[in-house]
Amino acid sequence: MGDSAFSALISVLSVLSLVLCSNAEDPYRFYTWNVTYGDIYPLGVKQQGILINRQFPGPPIECVTNDNLIINVFNSLDEPFLISWNGVQQKRNSWQDGVYGTNCPIPPGGNFTYVLQVKDQIGSYFYFPSLGFHKAAGGYGGFKIASRSVIPVPFDPPAGDFTVLAGDWFVKNHTDLRATLDSGTDLPFPDGLLINGRGSNGYIFPVDQGKTYRFRISNVGTATSINFRIQGHKMLLVEVEGIHTLQNTYDSIDLHLGQSCSVLVTADQPVQDYYMVVSTRFTSSVLTSTSILRYSGSAGGFSGPPPGGPTIQIDWSLEQARSFRRNLTASGPRPNPQGSYHYGMINVTRTIRLVNSAPVINGKQRYAINSVSFIPSDTPLKLADHFNIQGVFSIGSMPDGPTGAGAYLQTAVMGADFRGYAEVVFENPEDSVQSWHIDGHNFFVVGMDGGQWSPSSRLNYNLQDTVSRCTVQVYPQSWTAAYMPLDNVGMWNVRSENWARQYLGQQFYLRVFSPANSWRDENPIPNNALLCGRAIGH
């Protein structure tokens, strides 16, 4: 047995010993992934893509609430690699979050075994490579968490369950895109849109007439919002990032960067092919891509052109977003109604205002939050915190609100108290739509509107039945407000889902701290944790 294989075996055995000592009542699912480069042709041009087990997109994860997932990742690339799990909360376990602030990268030729539990979660998510600009080369895949059999779901079981991974795509190699950003130059406009890794009409969704299907849709792109629609068919919204919604019907749905949702579609039209369409939103030129919804028995061919959709209409999108409401009578991951948690009646302990900007620092384009443009440290922040390594970061280096100061570079960390309850206001003074994600948490989207936020904006908050989610949009010259329970101890990434902005500084880390220092509040450091930077030797 070679050294690398023996090391991998020891790693898996260590992980298994940890798993078998905890949560023995919950099932385990095991995955082995090999991450490689490979030739792909999503837009008809040969590219170097990132494949998982030679697949693009990568293999799906399908699991059930509270399952333990053991995912052994071998990095066969020529550069370090990490995978993160968009929307999976990692309860008490930011050690497995898979971003550079929490994990050392898997070195070329190395491996790491993620041990994560989908604790008290349901819904539709995705995983993606989090380092550099790997996300623009592939390496992403679908992540479904089904309800346990004892939990009622507020709709009949569908005849089929499809994952739709859609988003913008560049023909340029991810290393070229990264070099463009490093030089201080903006990225070009994307070259096209993909659906499940393929260009127009490259993917077929088979259906039977009269049956109803679930489509789990995620925007896995790096640069643009999208609109999703199916020719001749209505969509019944049933879930947004783990929350059962009021079942409103839509002709088309906007998904902003990093967002996911589920719709039910009934195949109630004549037997033939129908266009499934995605198109860019709020862009000067509109990109469009299609897939095929094919009824069994169809002879092929379409009736008419692909249906058009909204393009630059902000008010339309805002009103649709406000119409996404929580189904208060449906059970969530546990057998109690989602509405039993009265989020609007909890006293806010802190208000955090986050204002995005696009400054030029030292002659190069950067992006910032509250004037701070994030720069990575030489050591993951979670490891520095755990080992009490001084000089890596300073708590409070991310201010709670705009300072009015000039933009500057900083390894920014905001401190927060465990079991606090924060009002988070995202303020966007720019002319482009923004999309924000917070790892480890869901937050209640209580309000969004145009203009500048002020305390009087609270008068119009929805404190009754808004959805909670992990990714939210902020429209141009607008604000979005959320209530967030600080219920997950750890070091958590807060970031722009526009990947150029994230890469060039529009992110920070939220350190949710419990003074109890108890395993009840946070899992211990994993036995197989990779060490790097100043953590080596600890």
Side-chain angles (χ1 to χ4, degrees):
M1 180 180 292
D3 290 344
S4 61
F6 181 75
S7 299
L9 176 62
I10 294 299
S11 174
V12 171
L13 290 175
S14 299
V15 166
L16 285 175
S17 67
L18 176 64
V19 168
L20 293 173
C21 292
S22 63
N23 298 319
E25 72 281 5
D26 295 315
Y28 312 114
R29 297 175 188 263
F30 297 87
Y31 301 83
T32 299
W33 287 355
N34 186 29
V35 181
T36 62
Y37 293 123
D39 292 339
I40 57 175
Y41 301 80
L43 294 177
V45 178
K46 181 179 176 180
Q47 293 180 251
Q48 177 182 267
I50 293 178
L51 314 181
I52 300 178
N53 293 352
R54 305 205 61 78
Q55 299 177 48
F56 168 61
I61 292 178
E62 298 187 8
C63 56
V64 177
T65 300
N66 293 347
D67 281 359
N68 294 288
L69 308 182
I70 315 300
I71 306 170
N72 193 10
V73 178
F74 288 85
N75 178 15
S76 299
L77 306 182
D78 58 2
E79 55 184 326
F81 184 80
L82 275 176
I83 288 182
S84 190
W85 323 92
N86 206 74
V88 180
Q89 291 181 19
Q90 312 289 357
K91 291 290 189 181
R92 303 168 47 241
N93 200 20
S94 66
W95 301 108
Q96 308 294 333
D97 201 30
V99 291
Y100 182 67
T102 58
N103 296 88
C104 292
I106 306 169
N111 81 291
F112 177 72
T113 302
Y114 290 89
V115 182
L116 54 98
Q117 185 182 28
V118 289
K119 183 69 174 174
D120 290 337
Q121 279 192 271
I122 59 172
S124 309
Y125 309 98
F126 63 92
Y127 61 84
F128 69 98
S130 63
L131 291 184
F133 233 68
H134 286 162
K135 191 179 180 186
Y140 55 73
F143 198 128
K144 304 177 186 177
I145 309 176
S147 295
R148 291 176 290 162
S149 59
V150 297
I151 307 297
V153 174
F155 50 87
D156 292 334
D161 192 320
F162 297 112
T163 293
V164 182
L165 303 174
D168 54 69
W169 189 259
F170 294 90
V171 170
K172 276 191 173 183
N173 188 288
H174 72 279
T175 55
D176 294 333
L177 296 173
R178 196 165 60 206
T180 298
L181 293 174
D182 289 339
S183 71
T185 305
D186 286 338
L187 291 181
F189 190 66
D191 296 295
L193 296 176
L194 304 185
I195 299 175
N196 288 356
R198 301 182 185 181
S200 280
N201 295 341
Y203 200 91
I204 297 173
F205 295 89
V207 297
D208 293 329
Q209 190 180 44
K211 295 182 178 180
T212 298
Y213 298 83
R214 183 173 184 171
F215 290 85
R216 301 172 187 259
I217 316 150
S218 295
N219 183 343
V220 296
T222 60
T224 62
S225 300
I226 59 173
N227 180 267
F228 177 87
R229 52 201 182 270
I230 301 176
Q231 181 185 25
H233 293 74
K234 302 288 187 180
M235 297 181 291
L236 192 71
L237 183 71
V238 294
E239 176 244 339
V240 169
E241 292 166 15
I243 298 299
H244 293 306
T245 62
L246 289 183
Q247 294 180 12
N248 295 326
T249 300
Y250 299 90
D251 292 318
S252 69
I253 290 179
D254 279 354
L255 286 104
H256 305 276
L257 288 165
Q259 291 186 338
S260 300
C261 73
S262 287
V263 298
L264 296 181
V265 177
T266 299
D268 56 4
Q269 298 299 304
V271 172
Q272 63 176 62
D273 288 356
Y274 295 88
Y275 287 109
M276 178 182 292
V277 187
V278 291
S279 57
T280 56
R281 290 286 267 125
F282 320 116
T283 54
S284 54
S285 56
V286 178
L287 296 174
T288 300
S289 188
T290 57
S291 284
I292 302 170
L293 186 76
R294 174 162 291 167
Y295 281 55
S296 57
S298 170
F302 300 92
S303 176
T311 53
I312 60 173
Q313 301 91 331
I314 292 172
D315 288 346
W316 183 97
S317 188
L318 174 62
E319 289 306 312
Q320 182 180 85
R322 287 172 172 165
S323 73
F324 293 174
R325 300 296 181 94
R326 175 180 296 253
N327 183 340
L328 297 179
T329 63
S331 293
R334 295 186 179 189
N336 58 289
Q338 295 181 135
S340 63
Y341 183 76
H342 298 293
Y343 68 92
M345 300 174 64
I346 301 172
N347 291 328
V348 170
T349 59
R350 180 179 183 181
T351 295
I352 300 168
R353 295 172 56 203
L354 303 175
V355 181
N356 52 270
S357 59
V360 174
I361 302 177
N362 299 329
K364 292 186 177 182
Q365 179 67 64
R366 297 285 301 183
Y367 297 97
I369 308 169
N370 293 349
S371 300
V372 184
S373 186
F374 184 88
I375 50 173
S377 60
D378 60 2
T379 305
L381 307 178
K382 183 63 184 169
L383 291 177
D385 197 26
H386 176 76
F387 292 121
N388 195 27
I389 302 171
Q390 300 300 305
V392 175
F393 70 91
S394 174
I395 298 171
S397 48
M398 168 53 65
D400 275 21
T403 63
Y408 57 96
L409 304 175
Q410 179 77 49
T411 303
V413 176
M414 179 183 289
D417 295 328
F418 182 43
R419 295 199 175 99
Y421 195 69
E423 175 188 39
V424 182
V425 182
F426 299 97
E427 301 180 45
N428 178 19
E430 298 183 67
D431 293 329
S432 57
V433 66
Q434 307 294 315
S435 188
W436 292 98
H437 178 89
I438 302 179
D439 279 355
H441 296 79
N442 265 24
F443 45 79
F444 298 88
V445 183
V446 293
M448 54 176 63
D449 208 346
Q452 187 168 357
W453 180 89
S454 71
S456 64
S457 302
R458 296 172 178 140
L459 297 174
N460 294 316
Y461 281 3
N462 176 1
L463 302 182
Q464 302 297 323
D465 65 348
T466 189
V467 294
S468 61
R469 60 190 314 168
C470 58
T471 309
V472 71
Q473 71 273 25
V474 191
Y475 294 101
Q477 306 286 329
S478 299
W479 58 267
T480 295
Y483 282 175
M484 188 172 81
L486 297 164
D487 58 359
N488 201 5
V489 173
M491 187 76 71
W492 302 107
N493 190 225
V494 181
R495 62 176 178 267
S496 170
E497 284 290 314
N498 180 306
W499 221 243
R501 285 179 169 259
Q502 180 270 356
Y503 181 76
L504 292 179
Q506 210 156 74
Q507 61 172 309
F508 68 94
Y509 282 82
L510 181 71
R511 178 185 183 257
V512 180
F513 177 72
S514 169
N517 193 26
S518 166
W519 287 10
R520 178 196 64 196
D521 296 338
E522 184 178 28
N523 290 354
I525 185 171
N527 292 333
N528 68 327
L530 300 175
L531 301 182
C532 55
R534 285 182 257 179
I536 293 174
H538 283 75

